[in-house]
Amino acid sequence: MIPYREIIRLHCQGLSQRSIAASCKCSRNTVAKVIGRAKELNLSWPLPTEATAGDLENKFFDKPSIRDTGRCYPDLEHIHKEMAKSGVTLRLLWGEYCEECRQNRKQPLMYSQFCYHYQEYAQTKRATMHIPRKPGEQIEVDWAGQTMNIFDRDTGEALPAYIFIGVLSYSQYTYVEAFLSQNQESWITAHTNMYRYFGGVSRILVPDNLKTGVTNPDRYDPTINKVYQEMAEYYGTAVIPARVRKPKDKPNAEMAVSITTRWIVAALRNQKFFSITELNKAIEEKLEPYNHKQFQKKDGSRYSFFVNEEKPMLLPLPAQPYEIATWKAATVAYNCHIQVEKNYYSCPSEYLKQQVDVRMTRNVIEVFYNNHRICSHVRLHGRPGQYSTVPEHMPKAQQEYVKWDSARFISWAESIGSCTATVVKAILNAYKVEQQSYRSCMGLLKLADKYSVNRLEAACKKALSFTLNPSLKSVKTILSTGQDKVLDEAPASTVKNNAQYGFVRGADYYGRAGE
């Protein structure tokens, strides 16, 4: 800005225009114009104390406004809002502005003037405010945009490694770790490792709006990912995500991404790594000098600020690190079990056909209904199709059935008779899986209620005389046709002859041939 006040003061003191130009560091033509304009306005030293440099500039050389030129002035506020949308450019908005001016029969600005006035307006919207942070108040986390590579030893294939960055807002003390994925497990593992590196937990956690952190990135009421929220509750911190497209909500993380990309990623660009462990070891070696590097505009380093001021203010770590858990929805089937990764776990029978939430860790399966835990199981590993059943979860009738085993069936059969016990053993041995025979054993023993204990024993004895491995069907046929009674009602002589000669016809039968 031209020093109008100083030029007028020096001119009133009798200095030449050349001397004034040298003192005010401006051209002699500018000095001549200011002195000439002051004479036209009858201004002399001393000037009014309330007159500012801006007032003098407007009074000396008043700039005509756009409205004075007869051109249509654009709605700069509307343009600024549209520029925030994806894919919108000033050239596109200028074309729409010109079309609107033609429809209203007004003269538009040229593209250069349109851009100039928008830039002047945008400068007024770029004002920032420094927000002081308290020690231990918050941690800002993010994924770096640039990746690194890990090479497969056998194929030489380059696999991308993603860089996680966590920064304490007060001291700017930084944690960096590489992962082979940006999935939920990597995201949670990065946080647990970060807290262990810091030796404490901040009161606030500020992530970006990625799906592993925020399910619904609403401006006023964001929905935090269930696993992420559970981890935050475990460590006693609060998740307050940054607003969408508002990187200034986490400026330290954004700055750390930029600096560590140059300090670590670029520094390791010529090295080859064959495992994620090798890469993280190299990152750790570069991270320590970065955190100990002295600040340029203040005394100390990130490490000194962290150790002396911030670390004592962090919340203590829990006794054990958080164990990552995944969630899924399941429906309790008619057999009172839910399916989790091809294995089955029982639930109380009162929740039959209800949808439940399942929390899965490496060792435990927990089942919740309306945020209330209804049961838990040790997680099954290995072959699929395994069952984990708690007898108390079954209905009363099924609980009695679950208690049955081969020993109990044999004991019940022996109370009826030895032949019945032999048939039950034969049925139990007839199946590859013992449990498949329980229905047949139960059906055989229930025949005693219909036909009596004595008849069942006799029928089993009759069936054993035909085969060593009788079935339930053969015993039922003997009872329904009454064959079990034939043995008891036959004459003694017939029984003796049958025992001696089997079923051979006697001499009396053949002696009737000549009659």
Side-chain angles (χ1 to χ4, degrees):
M1 182 178 289
I2 300 173
Y4 301 101
R5 184 184 294 274
E6 185 67 9
I7 292 174
I8 296 173
R9 185 182 70 82
L10 296 177
H11 176 69
C12 293
Q13 291 181 0
L15 270 69
S16 65
Q17 293 183 9
R18 184 184 296 275
S19 300
I20 296 173
S23 176
C24 296
K25 298 179 181 181
C26 57
S27 67
R28 285 179 291 169
N29 290 335
T30 300
V31 173
K33 289 179 181 180
V34 172
I35 293 174
R37 183 62 175 162
K39 289 180 180 179
E40 293 176 5
L41 298 173
N42 294 322
L43 292 176
S44 61
W45 191 261
L47 296 174
T49 55
E50 65 274 7
T52 63
D55 295 336
L56 292 175
E57 183 178 11
N58 294 332
K59 186 177 291 187
F60 274 62
F61 303 103
D62 190 17
K63 297 180 180 179
S65 64
I66 295 177
R67 296 177 178 84
D68 296 336
T69 62
R71 295 180 181 269
C72 179
Y73 190 74
D75 186 353
L76 297 178
E77 184 177 357
H78 169 73
I79 294 171
H80 189 67
K81 291 180 179 179
E82 292 297 308
M83 284 294 292
K85 298 179 180 178
S86 176
V88 178
T89 63
L90 279 175
R91 176 70 69 174
L92 173 64
L93 295 174
W94 179 71
E96 296 175 352
Y97 156 74
C98 292
E99 181 64 27
E100 183 180 354
C101 289
R102 280 191 288 270
Q103 292 178 359
N104 296 328
R105 297 183 179 181
K106 294 181 180 180
Q107 187 176 5
L109 295 175
M110 299 299 291
Y111 180 65
S112 59
Q113 285 294 307
F114 179 85
C115 293
Y116 169 78
H117 287 288
Y118 170 70
Q119 291 170 359
E120 290 289 320
Y121 176 82
Q123 289 292 342
T124 64
K125 299 295 184 180
R126 292 174 184 166
T128 59
M129 180 181 67
H130 173 69
I131 301 176
R133 296 297 182 188
K134 298 178 182 178
E137 182 181 22
Q138 73 176 31
I139 296 176
E140 303 168 24
V141 293
D142 201 359
W143 291 104
Q146 189 170 347
T147 61
M148 300 183 70
N149 289 326
I150 294 177
F151 295 90
D152 189 286
R153 292 182 183 274
D154 299 326
T155 63
E157 180 185 3
L159 305 174
Y162 305 93
I163 310 301
F164 172 85
I165 297 177
V167 187
L168 286 161
S169 300
Y170 177 78
S171 64
Q172 299 178 28
Y173 192 60
T174 306
Y175 174 74
V176 182
E177 186 177 1
F179 291 89
L180 289 174
S181 173
Q182 291 183 339
N183 59 13
Q184 185 83 69
E185 183 178 359
S186 299
W187 179 248
I188 299 299
T189 304
H191 282 71
T192 56
N193 294 344
M194 175 188 67
Y195 287 138
R196 183 167 57 250
Y197 180 80
F198 290 153
V201 182
S202 65
R203 289 159 180 78
I204 300 174
L205 190 58
V206 183
D208 212 340
N209 288 277
L210 70 173
K211 286 296 183 182
T212 51
V214 182
T215 304
N216 180 25
D218 186 79
R219 180 183 179 91
Y220 302 104
D221 188 20
T223 303
I224 309 301
N225 182 283
K226 193 167 187 177
V227 178
Y228 198 42
Q229 180 64 34
E230 186 182 72
M231 184 214 69
E233 293 176 358
Y234 182 81
Y235 282 105
T237 186
V239 179
I240 304 179
R243 295 171 294 173
V244 179
R245 296 177 183 172
K246 297 294 182 180
K248 291 184 180 180
D249 285 0
K250 48 182 182 62
N252 295 290
E254 298 293 336
M255 180 183 65
V257 167
S258 176
I259 295 176
T260 54
T261 299
R262 299 193 303 267
W263 190 274
I264 297 177
V265 178
L268 300 175
R269 69 190 184 281
N270 295 324
Q271 299 185 32
K272 281 191 174 182
F273 303 97
F274 298 96
S275 69
I276 197 69
T277 304
E278 292 181 13
L279 176 56
N280 281 322
K281 186 176 180 181
I283 289 175
E284 184 179 356
E285 293 175 355
K286 293 290 184 181
L287 182 61
E288 289 303 312
Y290 169 75
N291 281 326
H292 286 80
K293 185 176 180 292
Q294 296 293 312
F295 288 120
Q296 294 182 352
K297 297 183 179 179
K298 58 183 179 180
D299 296 333
S301 64
R302 293 173 177 84
Y303 179 77
S304 63
F305 271 78
F306 167 71
V307 172
N308 298 328
E309 300 183 34
E310 189 151 29
K311 188 174 182 179
M313 305 303 295
L314 293 175
L315 299 174
L317 289 172
Q320 297 294 330
Y322 175 74
E323 185 180 10
I324 184 171
T326 55
W327 291 80
K328 65 167 291 185
T331 301
V332 182
Y334 284 112
N335 63 352
C336 299
H337 284 73
I338 58 172
Q339 181 180 358
V340 179
E341 295 186 350
K342 298 183 180 181
N343 287 319
Y344 301 89
Y345 303 87
S346 65
C347 295
S349 59
E350 56 263 31
Y351 298 99
L352 194 69
K353 300 304 293 179
Q354 297 296 322
Q355 187 173 18
V356 294
D357 296 319
V358 184
R359 180 179 182 268
M360 301 174 289
T361 65
R362 178 169 179 78
N363 300 314
V364 179
I365 296 291
E366 296 177 285
V367 184
F368 293 81
Y369 181 76
N370 291 339
N371 297 323
H372 174 68
R373 193 176 78 164
I374 58 177
C375 64
S376 64
H377 296 265
V378 176
R379 187 167 185 173
L380 300 174
H381 296 281
R383 62 176 178 82
Q386 299 182 75
Y387 279 80
S388 175
T389 304
V390 177
E392 289 74 14
H393 290 170
M394 300 295 104
K396 292 297 183 182
Q398 294 186 21
Q399 288 183 29
E400 294 298 324
Y401 175 78
V402 170
K403 295 178 182 177
W404 287 101
D405 56 12
S406 59
R408 184 166 182 181
F409 279 116
I410 294 173
S411 175
W412 185 6
E414 287 177 344
S415 65
I416 297 176
S418 59
C419 295
T420 305
T422 303
V423 173
V424 166
K425 292 177 183 178
I427 294 174
L428 289 170
N429 295 328
Y431 293 87
K432 292 183 178 180
V433 180
E434 183 181 275
Q435 285 78 2
Q436 294 176 335
S437 64
Y438 288 175
R439 287 179 178 270
S440 298
C441 292
M442 180 66 74
L444 176 71
L445 298 176
K446 285 292 184 181
L447 291 175
D449 297 337
K450 182 177 181 181
Y451 295 102
S452 78
V453 171
N454 294 331
R455 288 196 62 186
L456 176 59
E457 176 67 12
C460 290
K461 183 177 181 180
K462 186 81 172 179
L464 288 171
S465 67
F466 298 146
T467 176
L468 296 177
N469 297 306
S471 64
L472 170 64
K473 185 176 181 181
S474 62
V475 176
K476 289 179 67 175
T477 302
I478 291 173
L479 288 170
S480 62
T481 58
Q483 296 180 40
D484 59 297
K485 300 178 182 179
V486 175
L487 184 63
D488 297 333
E489 296 174 356
S493 60
T494 304
V495 174
K496 182 177 180 181
N497 290 335
N498 287 344
Q500 184 176 0
Y501 302 105
F503 294 98
V504 178
R505 294 169 181 164
D508 295 339
Y509 176 82
Y510 292 100
R512 295 196 302 269
E515 293 180 1

